[in-house]
Amino acid sequence: MTSKALQAPKRRSRLNRLNGVDYAIMAFLALFALIILYPFYNSICVSLVSQADYIKTRFMLYPKNITLESYFIVFENGSIFDGMKVTIFITLVGVVYNMLLTVSLAYGFSKQFPGRKFFLSMIVFTMYFSGGLIPFYLLIKDLNLIDNVFSMILPTGVSIMYMTVIRQNFESLPAELEESARMDGANDLTILFKILLPLSVPILVTFALYYGVERWNEWYNGMLFIRSFEKRPLQLVLRGIIQTTGQAMMTSDLQQYNITPFSEGIKMACIVVTATPIILVYPFIQKYFVSGLTVGAVKG
């Protein structure tokens, strides 16, 4: 009873310190959060209703008559599971590949060596200019990666922006840590994996998630280089389902269950299927985000 009595005045005193400006800011942030969250909530609602209900109430607060017809159409074609497997493989292998290259490059350029500024400038140059689509396609063809899943992994190895932030993070760490480690006989790999990386977990987790989202949303290289249907990533599979809605979608199974394709509901169901895995992962690593995004800006 005593602890509860002591906590109550503290809570009241905090509320008493808030003025009109604070309440206005809180109201604005709540409205801003609602504007951000409602489109995804609306996507869920639209994916759970029929076309008739959607026409009656386009701006719905909740689905009155829930139906899973749109999800049935999305999952009725078994190709979505093949696409899911390909995308999971691309995401897992691609993130490891990206992080190894990015961290290695960032650590190398955090050191001083002859020609460092020149090579760093040439790398940053690639952020603004590329060789073009035709040379890129010819390169992938010469590497025998046409219709190969690795054509969606190998070409995009390093994000120069991510590498720059991680490099600045390495440079901001105390130099005495590395000096003491070298006195104990540690080499560069030992210093990187046993000293620097454990101290950089927030920023590494942050950019690993960024790479993961990019890999999960992979479709462009798949559209250019993949020919086999079973090797298409999830985004291309969902794109194909949306394009064929109302045309070849009236399969025997749909006719048997008297299901009429609802194009807008299928689009929203595809959005939910695509976004849900990333949304489920995000809460577990959200705590790293604030420190991960700011720690690399300590030293420019």
Side-chain angles (χ1 to χ4, degrees):
M1 294 294 293
T2 306
S3 60
K4 293 182 179 179
L6 292 175
Q7 291 177 0
K10 291 182 180 180
R11 293 177 182 175
R12 292 174 184 172
S13 62
R14 291 176 182 175
L15 292 176
N16 292 334
R17 286 199 298 266
L18 297 178
N19 53 34
V21 176
D22 295 325
Y23 285 112
I25 293 174
M26 292 171 61
F28 172 77
L29 293 177
L31 178 62
F32 189 67
L34 181 62
I35 293 174
I36 293 175
L37 293 176
Y38 180 76
F40 185 72
Y41 173 75
N42 183 68
S43 300
I44 298 176
C45 292
V46 174
S47 68
L48 294 174
V49 299
S50 63
Q51 186 170 2
D53 291 337
Y54 175 71
I55 294 175
K56 293 178 182 178
T57 55
R58 289 178 179 269
F59 186 83
M60 63 182 69
L61 296 178
Y62 60 93
K64 296 181 180 180
N65 301 313
I66 296 179
T67 177
L68 300 178
E69 291 182 356
S70 296
Y71 290 96
F72 182 86
I73 293 174
V74 171
F75 288 100
E76 187 264 343
N77 190 340
S79 61
I80 191 173
F81 298 105
D82 294 331
M84 188 76 73
K85 293 177 183 178
V86 173
T87 295
I88 291 174
F89 177 80
I90 292 172
T91 302
L92 295 179
V93 177
V95 169
V96 174
Y97 170 70
N98 287 139
M99 292 303 296
L100 283 175
L101 292 183
T102 303
V103 169
S104 301
L105 192 62
Y107 178 69
F109 278 103
S110 66
K111 308 302 176 186
Q112 297 295 331
F113 57 86
R116 174 179 177 272
K117 290 186 177 180
F118 171 77
F119 290 111
L120 187 59
S121 300
M122 291 296 99
I123 291 177
V124 173
F125 179 82
T126 61
M127 290 179 61
Y128 306 101
F129 301 96
S130 66
L133 180 59
I134 294 177
F136 178 50
Y137 182 86
L138 294 176
L139 175 63
I140 299 300
K141 183 178 180 181
D142 290 340
L143 293 175
N144 295 322
L145 291 177
I146 299 296
D147 201 27
N148 191 317
V149 174
F150 284 95
S151 64
M152 297 178 283
I153 298 176
L154 298 180
T156 53
V158 178
S159 170
I160 306 304
M161 183 182 69
Y162 300 170
M163 185 275 295
T164 301
V165 178
I166 296 176
R167 175 180 63 84
Q168 292 173 350
N169 172 68
F170 288 157
E171 292 176 350
S172 67
L173 296 176
E176 291 79 7
L177 293 174
E178 185 173 345
E179 292 175 0
S180 61
R182 290 192 183 279
M183 291 178 63
D184 293 334
N187 55 26
D188 287 321
L189 289 178
T190 302
I191 293 172
L192 175 61
F193 286 99
K194 291 189 176 181
I195 298 177
L196 298 184
L197 294 189
L199 295 174
S200 306
V201 170
I203 196 170
L204 296 179
V205 173
T206 299
F207 289 117
L209 178 64
Y210 285 175
Y211 275 129
V213 173
E214 293 174 3
R215 294 297 189 175
W216 185 262
N217 293 325
E218 168 61 46
W219 67 273
Y220 185 69
N221 286 351
M223 180 184 67
L224 291 177
F225 307 122
I226 299 301
R227 303 290 180 263
S228 303
F229 285 99
E230 66 275 8
K231 296 179 181 179
R232 293 182 304 169
L234 177 63
Q235 309 301 331
L236 280 184
V237 174
L238 295 178
R239 174 173 173 264
I241 292 174
I242 293 174
Q243 288 179 336
T244 56
T245 299
Q247 300 174 10
M249 266 305 196
M250 287 302 294
T251 62
S252 58
D253 290 337
L254 299 183
Q255 294 174 356
Q256 177 183 353
Y257 293 103
N258 196 24
I259 296 176
T260 302
F262 170 34
S263 60
E264 198 66 26
I266 294 173
K267 291 178 183 178
M268 297 307 169
C270 290
I271 292 175
V272 174
V273 170
T274 303
T276 298
I278 299 298
I279 293 176
L280 294 179
V281 170
Y282 179 79
F284 296 100
I285 59 178
Q286 186 270 341
K287 62 181 180 179
Y288 297 108
F289 258 61
V290 175
S291 57
L293 291 175
T294 58
V295 70
V298 174
K299 185 176 180 181

